[in-house]
Amino acid sequence: MDRCIVLVDAGYLLGAAASLLAGEPSRSRIAVDHSALVQQLREQAESDTERPLLRIYWFDGAPDRVPQPEHRRLRVMPRVTVRLGALTRSDGRWAQKGVDAAMHAELTELARNGACSDVVLVTGDGDLLPGMMAAKEHGVAVHLWAVQAADGDYNQSEDLVAEADERRVLDRTWITKAVRARELAGPCAPPAESRPEIAAILSAPLPDTALAPASRRRPEETRPRPAAAASPERVPAPKGVPTPKDLAALRAAGGTHTAAPHPTNATLRWSSDKGWVDRPGTGAESPEAAGMPTLAQLTTAEQRWADREEDITAVSGDSYEVGQVFARRWMARLGDQTHLQRLSGMYPRIPHRVDGELLRYAARFGLLAHKDDQIDENDRYAIRAGFWREIDARTETEHATAAE
């Protein structure tokens, strides 16, 4: 039939993209707009083959072959079929199992049944060579696509390249339309595309008073400094990202020594685990915080089903957006709006039960995928920032309405 099919080895495509954009093949180093990527694959395939697209097959690995959030989003997209192999961990590294065999079987079956006239392979593994040769023997034109190699060399099997009918390299410009690198240069460096309030938190140096209580400082730290030693520069704290308590002390001191001015109206707020607010001696939260309803308590079975559909089809999985979506649902389902006012007044705390549920919700969007079961620190800040922005927008609107 005069139509084309695209077979994508996601491990190769995204791993090579991570190497190109972030310098290492870890998929946790990149953020992917899957909708945009699928659309680009379709348009490029139809342009190269001059045939309409029948289907895109997306081959990837998953722990126990259980679909991850990105797979659930992909498989409901038009003309996309997801095929999963196993994802296993050995010596601290993730490895796909069964993906190449599944691609080989699909390729030969499609060619044998005359399902297409052209097939596009996005892969670099030489194990696909027998399948490519079989497809050619059945009269199918094979197009092989590569991702631009980070070192300028090939990142595909030489035999695979030699056997293909047509070849294309997806360069950096093509890749960056749907994929961007996550900046993880260091714990105190703001992300390359971070929002101003997050960048201010991450780049702010600590005041001297925040480094350590006087009772725990070394004797030389408590001695008066000579006048010649006085300097407007502060030595950044060795412990990494400053806590809200540190920043509160910095603002109390006038905030004149910040490397990046912290906006006075910034609304990035932190969970109580950062210690800005001193807890009672028992370590228990206040009754208001302990009694704050969770989203799960406010959600019916029908709403839970609708939320799942929205998560799969409409939520991109961006850390900031995830926090916004969670906050919008929580506020929309509050029967007693006094809870919203109480939460807004708990600045900068997020009650533990709400904060824990927020981070568990964020984990559904692949923020834990290919990591050691923990959310990156910058992502946690962005998740909470999105949450508080929605809370602020709602409370500010209500205040403006009341003032009128």
Side-chain angles (χ1 to χ4, degrees):
M1 293 187 178
D2 291 336
R3 53 192 182 186
C4 68
I5 289 176
V6 181
L7 276 64
V8 179
D9 179 350
Y12 166 76
L13 173 60
L14 301 183
S19 294
L20 178 64
L21 302 181
E24 60 180 87
S26 173
R27 287 163 63 170
S28 65
R29 296 294 308 275
I30 56 174
V32 184
D33 183 341
H34 290 91
S35 296
L37 183 57
V38 165
Q39 184 61 30
Q40 284 181 236
L41 290 169
R42 178 172 187 165
E43 292 176 355
Q44 193 68 62
E46 291 182 336
S47 174
D48 283 10
T49 65
E50 300 181 347
R51 301 285 188 271
L53 177 76
L54 172 61
R55 191 174 297 114
I56 294 175
Y57 288 89
W58 186 273
F59 295 87
D60 202 2
D64 299 322
R65 291 186 168 86
V66 176
Q68 299 300 294
E70 65 184 87
H71 304 138
R72 294 198 297 269
R73 290 195 294 272
L74 281 162
R75 66 185 183 181
V76 297
M77 294 180 186
R79 303 297 182 99
V80 177
T81 296
V82 176
R83 297 279 190 259
L84 294 179
L87 188 64
T88 60
R89 189 162 187 168
S90 177
D91 298 328
R93 298 175 61 88
W94 291 102
Q96 295 183 159
K97 300 294 183 183
V99 172
D100 295 336
M103 288 189 70
H104 178 276
E106 198 76 58
L107 175 59
T108 54
E109 189 68 14
L110 291 169
R112 184 182 299 114
N113 293 331
C116 59
S117 61
D118 296 73
V119 63
V120 174
L121 289 177
V122 187
T123 186
D125 199 324
D127 291 345
L128 265 294
L129 182 61
M132 178 187 288
M133 296 173 66
K136 292 174 64 176
E137 290 173 359
H138 286 90
V140 174
V142 179
H143 304 249
L144 181 66
W145 290 0
V147 176
Q148 179 182 338
D151 57 5
D153 201 354
Y154 288 108
N155 53 13
Q156 288 179 309
S157 162
E158 184 177 345
D159 292 335
L160 207 63
V161 172
E163 190 68 27
D165 294 307
E166 301 287 345
R167 291 174 291 278
R168 168 176 289 279
V169 175
L170 306 177
D171 60 16
R172 181 185 293 267
T173 301
W174 194 98
I175 293 294
T176 52
K177 291 178 182 178
V179 183
R180 64 176 176 83
R182 296 179 185 271
E183 181 57 54
L184 302 175
C188 292
E193 300 180 12
S194 66
R195 295 166 178 82
E197 67 275 8
I198 299 176
I201 290 288
L202 298 181
S203 63
L206 298 182
D208 290 342
T209 56
L211 294 181
S215 61
R216 293 193 316 213
R217 292 183 188 172
R218 297 189 299 274
E220 61 270 21
E221 291 179 329
T222 59
R223 296 173 187 153
R225 294 183 179 181
S231 170
E233 297 182 358
R234 301 282 184 175
V235 178
K239 63 181 179 179
V241 179
T243 70
K245 188 173 182 179
D246 300 329
L247 294 173
L250 187 64
R251 285 198 295 272
T256 57
H257 305 302
T258 53
H262 186 67
T264 57
N265 62 342
T267 54
L268 177 62
R269 303 172 184 173
W270 303 48
S271 170
S272 53
D273 64 352
K274 292 295 183 181
W276 187 329
V277 179
D278 294 331
R279 300 183 191 173
T282 60
E285 287 191 308
S286 67
E288 292 83 3
M292 194 70 65
T294 64
L295 180 60
Q297 293 172 329
L298 300 170
T299 303
T300 65
E302 291 78 7
Q303 288 172 327
R304 190 172 296 110
W305 181 88
D307 290 347
R308 182 180 177 86
E309 290 298 305
E310 182 183 12
D311 290 344
I312 293 173
T313 59
V315 181
S316 70
D318 172 76
S319 305
Y320 192 83
E321 181 189 7
V322 165
Q324 291 180 301
V325 171
F326 183 95
R328 282 198 294 268
R329 291 175 183 170
W330 187 83
M331 290 187 293
R333 294 165 192 173
L334 274 177
D336 184 358
Q337 293 298 311
T338 59
H339 287 301
L340 178 60
Q341 298 303 323
R342 289 195 188 103
L343 177 64
S344 182
M346 288 180 186
Y347 174 84
R349 302 177 67 190
I350 301 178
H352 280 309
R353 62 205 316 250
V354 177
D355 187 58
E357 187 182 37
L358 170 62
L359 296 181
R360 288 193 297 273
Y361 172 68
R364 301 178 192 174
F365 291 89
L367 294 172
L368 300 185
H370 312 289
K371 298 183 182 181
D372 297 328
D373 296 332
Q374 59 183 345
I375 297 178
D376 176 77
E377 194 165 30
N378 289 325
D379 284 333
R380 292 202 304 272
Y381 298 154
I383 292 164
R384 290 165 178 158
F387 174 86
W388 279 113
R389 282 299 189 197
E390 286 298 310
I391 298 294
D392 287 345
R394 173 71 172 271
T395 54
E396 288 174 2
T397 300
E398 291 181 353
H399 291 159
T401 303
E404 292 175 356

Short mmCIF file of all heavy atoms in Angstrom, two decimals, residues 205-217 221 225 234-235 237 239 245-254 257:
data_model
loop_
_atom_site.label_atom_id
_atom_site.label_comp_id
_atom_site.label_asym_id
_atom_site.label_seq_id
_atom_site.Cartn_x
_atom_site.Cartn_y
_atom_site.Cartn_z
N PRO A 205 23.08 34.11 48.09
CA PRO A 205 24.07 33.67 49.08
C PRO A 205 23.47 33.79 50.47
O PRO A 205 22.46 34.45 50.68
CB PRO A 205 25.22 34.66 48.88
CG PRO A 205 24.55 35.90 48.40
CD PRO A 205 23.39 35.45 47.56
N LEU A 206 24.08 33.16 51.42
CA LEU A 206 23.58 33.18 52.78
C LEU A 206 24.21 34.31 53.58
O LEU A 206 25.40 34.60 53.43
CB LEU A 206 23.89 31.85 53.47
CG LEU A 206 23.25 30.61 52.85
CD1 LEU A 206 23.62 29.40 53.68
CD2 LEU A 206 21.76 30.76 52.77
N PRO A 207 23.46 34.93 54.50
CA PRO A 207 24.07 35.91 55.41
C PRO A 207 24.93 35.19 56.42
O PRO A 207 24.75 34.00 56.67
CB PRO A 207 22.85 36.57 56.07
CG PRO A 207 21.80 35.50 56.02
CD PRO A 207 22.04 34.77 54.73
N ASP A 208 25.85 35.93 57.02
CA ASP A 208 26.72 35.30 58.01
C ASP A 208 25.92 34.67 59.13
O ASP A 208 26.25 33.62 59.65
CB ASP A 208 27.68 36.33 58.60
CG ASP A 208 28.73 36.76 57.57
OD1 ASP A 208 28.89 36.02 56.58
OD2 ASP A 208 29.35 37.82 57.75
N THR A 209 24.84 35.35 59.53
CA THR A 209 24.06 34.84 60.66
C THR A 209 23.36 33.55 60.33
O THR A 209 22.91 32.85 61.22
CB THR A 209 23.00 35.88 61.06
OG1 THR A 209 22.20 36.18 59.91
CG2 THR A 209 23.66 37.15 61.57
N ALA A 210 23.24 33.22 59.06
CA ALA A 210 22.54 32.00 58.69
C ALA A 210 23.45 30.81 58.55
O ALA A 210 22.98 29.70 58.40
CB ALA A 210 21.79 32.22 57.37
N LEU A 211 24.75 31.05 58.58
CA LEU A 211 25.67 29.94 58.37
C LEU A 211 25.63 28.97 59.54
O LEU A 211 25.64 27.78 59.37
CB LEU A 211 27.09 30.47 58.18
CG LEU A 211 27.32 31.28 56.92
CD1 LEU A 211 28.77 31.71 56.85
CD2 LEU A 211 26.95 30.50 55.68
N ALA A 212 25.61 29.50 60.76
CA ALA A 212 25.55 28.66 61.94
C ALA A 212 25.24 29.51 63.15
O ALA A 212 25.65 30.68 63.20
CB ALA A 212 26.89 27.93 62.16
N PRO A 213 24.49 28.99 64.12
CA PRO A 213 24.24 29.75 65.34
C PRO A 213 25.56 30.10 66.01
O PRO A 213 26.55 29.37 65.91
CB PRO A 213 23.42 28.78 66.18
CG PRO A 213 22.84 27.82 65.19
CD PRO A 213 23.84 27.70 64.11
N ALA A 214 25.58 31.22 66.75
CA ALA A 214 26.81 31.67 67.39
C ALA A 214 27.36 30.62 68.35
O ALA A 214 28.57 30.47 68.47
CB ALA A 214 26.56 32.98 68.13
N SER A 215 26.45 29.89 68.99
CA SER A 215 26.90 28.90 69.95
C SER A 215 27.65 27.75 69.30
O SER A 215 28.37 27.02 69.95
CB SER A 215 25.71 28.34 70.74
OG SER A 215 24.80 27.73 69.84
N ARG A 216 27.47 27.56 67.98
CA ARG A 216 28.11 26.44 67.31
C ARG A 216 29.24 26.90 66.40
O ARG A 216 29.82 26.12 65.68
CB ARG A 216 27.08 25.69 66.45
CG ARG A 216 26.05 24.99 67.28
CD ARG A 216 25.26 24.01 66.44
NE ARG A 216 24.88 24.59 65.16
CZ ARG A 216 23.74 24.28 64.55
NH1 ARG A 216 22.91 23.44 65.09
NH2 ARG A 216 23.46 24.81 63.38
N ARG A 217 29.57 28.19 66.39
CA ARG A 217 30.63 28.68 65.53
C ARG A 217 31.99 28.45 66.17
O ARG A 217 32.13 28.41 67.39
CB ARG A 217 30.45 30.18 65.25
CG ARG A 217 29.23 30.47 64.39
CD ARG A 217 29.13 31.93 64.09
NE ARG A 217 27.86 32.22 63.42
CZ ARG A 217 27.44 33.45 63.17
NH1 ARG A 217 28.16 34.48 63.52
NH2 ARG A 217 26.28 33.64 62.57
N GLU A 221 35.42 32.49 64.35
CA GLU A 221 34.30 33.08 63.63
C GLU A 221 33.59 34.14 64.47
O GLU A 221 32.84 34.95 63.93
CB GLU A 221 33.31 31.99 63.22
CG GLU A 221 33.84 31.06 62.16
CD GLU A 221 32.83 29.99 61.83
OE1 GLU A 221 32.06 29.60 62.70
OE2 GLU A 221 32.83 29.55 60.67
N ARG A 225 35.88 41.39 63.40
CA ARG A 225 36.68 41.48 62.19
C ARG A 225 37.39 42.82 62.12
O ARG A 225 36.82 43.86 62.45
CB ARG A 225 35.79 41.34 60.95
CG ARG A 225 35.17 39.98 60.83
CD ARG A 225 34.38 39.91 59.54
NE ARG A 225 33.78 38.61 59.37
CZ ARG A 225 33.05 38.28 58.30
NH1 ARG A 225 32.85 39.15 57.35
NH2 ARG A 225 32.53 37.08 58.21
N ARG A 234 29.64 38.38 50.50
CA ARG A 234 29.38 37.32 51.46
C ARG A 234 29.91 36.02 50.90
O ARG A 234 29.86 35.78 49.69
CB ARG A 234 27.88 37.19 51.71
CG ARG A 234 27.23 38.46 52.25
CD ARG A 234 27.52 38.63 53.72
NE ARG A 234 26.80 39.80 54.24
CZ ARG A 234 26.79 40.14 55.51
NH1 ARG A 234 27.44 39.42 56.38
NH2 ARG A 234 26.12 41.20 55.90
N VAL A 235 30.37 35.17 51.77
CA VAL A 235 30.84 33.86 51.33
C VAL A 235 29.65 32.93 51.26
O VAL A 235 28.95 32.75 52.26
CB VAL A 235 31.89 33.29 52.31
CG1 VAL A 235 32.33 31.91 51.87
CG2 VAL A 235 33.07 34.24 52.40
N ALA A 237 27.17 29.87 51.52
CA ALA A 237 27.15 28.78 52.49
C ALA A 237 27.61 27.49 51.85
O ALA A 237 27.30 27.22 50.70
CB ALA A 237 25.74 28.59 53.03
N LYS A 239 26.64 24.58 52.46
CA LYS A 239 25.66 23.50 52.48
C LYS A 239 24.79 23.45 51.23
O LYS A 239 23.95 22.57 51.11
CB LYS A 239 24.77 23.62 53.71
CG LYS A 239 23.94 24.89 53.76
CD LYS A 239 23.11 24.91 55.04
CE LYS A 239 22.29 26.19 55.12
NZ LYS A 239 21.46 26.23 56.32
N LYS A 245 14.48 29.83 55.82
CA LYS A 245 14.92 30.48 57.06
C LYS A 245 16.15 31.34 56.80
O LYS A 245 16.27 32.46 57.32
CB LYS A 245 15.22 29.42 58.11
CG LYS A 245 15.50 30.00 59.50
CD LYS A 245 15.62 28.88 60.51
CE LYS A 245 15.84 29.44 61.91
NZ LYS A 245 15.94 28.36 62.92
N ASP A 246 17.07 30.85 55.98
CA ASP A 246 18.25 31.62 55.62
C ASP A 246 17.86 32.90 54.88
O ASP A 246 18.39 33.97 55.13
CB ASP A 246 19.19 30.80 54.73
CG ASP A 246 19.67 29.54 55.43
OD1 ASP A 246 19.82 29.56 56.65
OD2 ASP A 246 19.91 28.54 54.71
N LEU A 247 16.91 32.74 53.94
CA LEU A 247 16.50 33.90 53.15
C LEU A 247 15.74 34.90 53.99
O LEU A 247 15.81 36.11 53.75
CB LEU A 247 15.64 33.44 51.97
CG LEU A 247 16.40 32.59 50.95
CD1 LEU A 247 15.45 32.04 49.91
CD2 LEU A 247 17.49 33.39 50.28
N ALA A 248 15.00 34.41 54.99
CA ALA A 248 14.31 35.33 55.89
C ALA A 248 15.32 36.18 56.65
O ALA A 248 15.15 37.39 56.81
CB ALA A 248 13.43 34.55 56.86
N ALA A 249 16.40 35.54 57.11
CA ALA A 249 17.45 36.28 57.80
C ALA A 249 18.12 37.28 56.86
O ALA A 249 18.50 38.38 57.26
CB ALA A 249 18.47 35.31 58.38
N LEU A 250 18.26 36.87 55.61
CA LEU A 250 18.88 37.76 54.62
C LEU A 250 18.03 39.00 54.40
O LEU A 250 18.54 40.12 54.37
CB LEU A 250 19.07 37.00 53.31
CG LEU A 250 19.85 37.71 52.21
CD1 LEU A 250 21.28 37.94 52.65
CD2 LEU A 250 19.82 36.88 50.94
N ARG A 251 16.72 38.81 54.29
CA ARG A 251 15.83 39.95 54.10
C ARG A 251 15.80 40.83 55.34
O ARG A 251 15.72 42.05 55.27
CB ARG A 251 14.43 39.47 53.73
CG ARG A 251 14.31 38.98 52.30
CD ARG A 251 12.86 38.95 51.86
NE ARG A 251 12.10 37.97 52.63
CZ ARG A 251 12.00 36.68 52.29
NH1 ARG A 251 12.64 36.24 51.22
NH2 ARG A 251 11.29 35.85 53.02
N ALA A 252 15.85 40.17 56.52
CA ALA A 252 15.85 40.94 57.77
C ALA A 252 17.09 41.82 57.87
O ALA A 252 17.05 42.90 58.47
CB ALA A 252 15.79 39.99 58.96
N ALA A 253 18.19 41.34 57.27
CA ALA A 253 19.42 42.12 57.28
C ALA A 253 19.45 43.19 56.21
O ALA A 253 20.43 43.91 56.07
CB ALA A 253 20.62 41.19 57.12
N GLY A 254 18.41 43.27 55.44
CA GLY A 254 18.34 44.31 54.41
C GLY A 254 18.46 43.80 53.01
O GLY A 254 18.20 44.50 52.06
N HIS A 257 23.11 42.12 50.07
CA HIS A 257 24.25 41.34 49.59
C HIS A 257 23.83 40.19 48.69
O HIS A 257 24.58 39.27 48.48
CB HIS A 257 25.04 40.80 50.77
CG HIS A 257 25.47 41.86 51.72
ND1 HIS A 257 26.24 42.93 51.34
CD2 HIS A 257 25.22 42.02 53.04
CE1 HIS A 257 26.46 43.71 52.40
NE2 HIS A 257 25.85 43.18 53.43
#
